[in-house]
Amino acid sequence: MRARKTSSGLPRDAAAPTRRNPLGSTAGRRTRTRRTTAGPPARPPDNPAARRRAEAAALRQGVRNRVVFRVLVAAIIAVSSLVVLIAMAGLFAETRSRPLTADEQHLYRQQEVAGRWQSWPATTVFPDEVKYLGLERAVQYARRVGIAPERPCAEAVDESVAEVLDQHGCRTLLRATYVDQTATFVFTVGVAVLADEEARVSAAEELTRDDRVGVLPAAFPGTLADRFGIAQRQRNGWVGAGPYIVFATAGYADGRTRAAVPAEEMTHSELWPAAKSIGNQIAYFLADPPTVPPCTQGAVC
């Protein structure tokens, strides 16, 4: 077979000397290396004894894990039970009946007295009849003719008194009107309700002793007190009891004004002793110390 010629006129085989690749292959030609993939690693020979030892070790580890788990659960349950028992013991100790301390007894009295103006019916705050002492300390009875609607403190007393009551947090004012046993005098009793006994004491220290001011009269048409107004008040006064200031004012059932009554007549009149006695009686019942139960849950500790 005839050799081809190159552009130089020489046969292709003679055109260039043969060159050797440093790696041993001829230049200009790439050798292909065949990649071989490694097969799976050879399995170790089956050893029944080693397998049994491994299974036994795994079983022992599982047993240990289960024991630890059970111990932890038991510890959690025990701690929770102890907490519950302590809480129940504390609750029982707190709620079980026990004797009242001196402070608790004092607080009980204060709270019971302070709530009477709400918990008692109006007819209990202002009884149908109130005993009073007349001249020569004769025991007589005043009869109630009416109970006025509850009013804000500032609306049922004179202005100078209202300022003091307002400064000390007066809550409300209750009033009722009585007539003496002879149907000669009329009396309006007013109960100012303060927050507590301390507030009442503070207010009382600032109240005036002017007998021209105090509670406003509560008139009731169709009764002996229908003409009892501000001008008819002869005297005014008050007394403190618990968280209450009990006011009393008195006048004549026939409508006489203060200016129409001579001062010397008032000196010898039964009017003002009766008014003070009625106010004191109502104050006494309102602040009368209650019977304190000996135990937190009644009479049995």
Side-chain angles (χ1 to χ4, degrees):
M1 182 175 180
R2 185 178 296 177
R4 294 184 190 177
K5 294 183 178 180
T6 64
S7 57
S8 60
L10 298 176
R12 180 178 296 273
D13 294 338
T18 300
R19 294 181 294 173
R20 287 283 180 180
N21 191 299
L23 299 178
S25 61
T26 58
R29 299 181 67 184
R30 297 181 181 176
T31 61
R32 295 182 180 178
T33 59
R34 180 176 297 176
R35 296 181 180 179
T36 61
T37 58
R43 298 178 58 186
D46 189 15
N47 190 338
R51 187 170 64 251
R52 286 194 296 272
R53 287 195 297 272
E55 291 174 351
L59 180 60
R60 287 193 297 271
Q61 184 63 37
V63 170
R64 284 194 294 269
N65 291 343
R66 180 172 296 181
V67 170
V68 171
F69 175 75
R70 288 180 176 177
V71 169
L72 288 176
V73 171
I76 293 172
I77 293 175
V79 171
S80 300
S81 301
L82 180 61
V83 171
V84 171
L85 288 174
I86 293 174
M88 291 180 64
L91 181 62
F92 175 76
E94 185 67 25
T95 58
R96 69 180 178 85
S97 184
R98 57 173 177 78
L100 289 172
T101 65
D103 289 340
E104 289 172 335
Q105 292 177 6
H106 178 67
L107 181 61
Y108 179 91
R109 293 188 188 97
Q110 283 189 321
Q111 292 178 340
E112 205 279 335
V113 170
R116 284 175 176 171
W117 71 276
Q118 287 180 308
S119 61
W120 283 7
T123 53
T124 302
V125 177
F126 300 112
D128 294 338
E129 290 187 341
V130 177
K131 181 173 65 174
Y132 68 93
L133 299 177
L135 292 178
E136 300 180 357
R137 301 188 62 82
V139 176
Q140 301 186 54
Y141 292 87
R143 178 175 52 87
R144 191 190 69 223
V145 296
I147 299 176
E150 183 179 329
R151 300 289 295 276
C153 299
E155 296 180 7
V157 295
D158 291 292
E159 184 176 354
S160 60
V161 177
E163 292 177 358
V164 174
L165 295 181
D166 183 62
Q167 290 174 1
H168 293 278
C170 183
R171 294 179 173 179
T172 191
L173 198 137
L174 317 174
R175 290 181 300 166
T177 298
Y178 290 83
V179 176
D180 78 316
Q181 188 166 306
T182 65
T184 304
F185 309 124
V186 288
F187 315 96
T188 291
V189 180
V191 177
V193 181
L194 284 90
D196 49 41
E197 189 168 351
E198 288 74 15
R200 187 269 299 171
V201 171
S202 298
E205 290 175 351
E206 299 181 26
L207 282 176
T208 178
R209 289 291 180 176
D210 185 353
D211 70 356
R212 294 171 298 177
V213 296
V215 67
L216 302 182
F220 292 90
T223 69
L224 291 172
D226 62 352
R227 289 184 288 177
F228 190 29
I230 295 176
Q232 284 71 38
R233 291 184 300 178
Q234 301 296 319
R235 293 189 67 178
N236 299 272
W238 56 268
V239 62
Y244 309 108
I245 297 178
V246 180
F247 294 90
T249 186
Y252 288 94
D254 60 10
R256 278 180 281 178
T257 64
R258 179 182 175 112
V261 179
E264 60 272 14
E265 182 176 334
M266 285 300 302
T267 304
H268 303 287
S269 173
E270 192 178 46
L271 180 145
W272 187 238
K276 289 195 297 181
S277 183
I278 293 170
N280 290 343
Q281 284 289 311
I282 290 176
Y284 171 81
F285 287 121
L286 269 175
D288 186 29
T291 301
V292 181
C295 306
T296 55
Q297 296 184 9
V300 179
C301 296

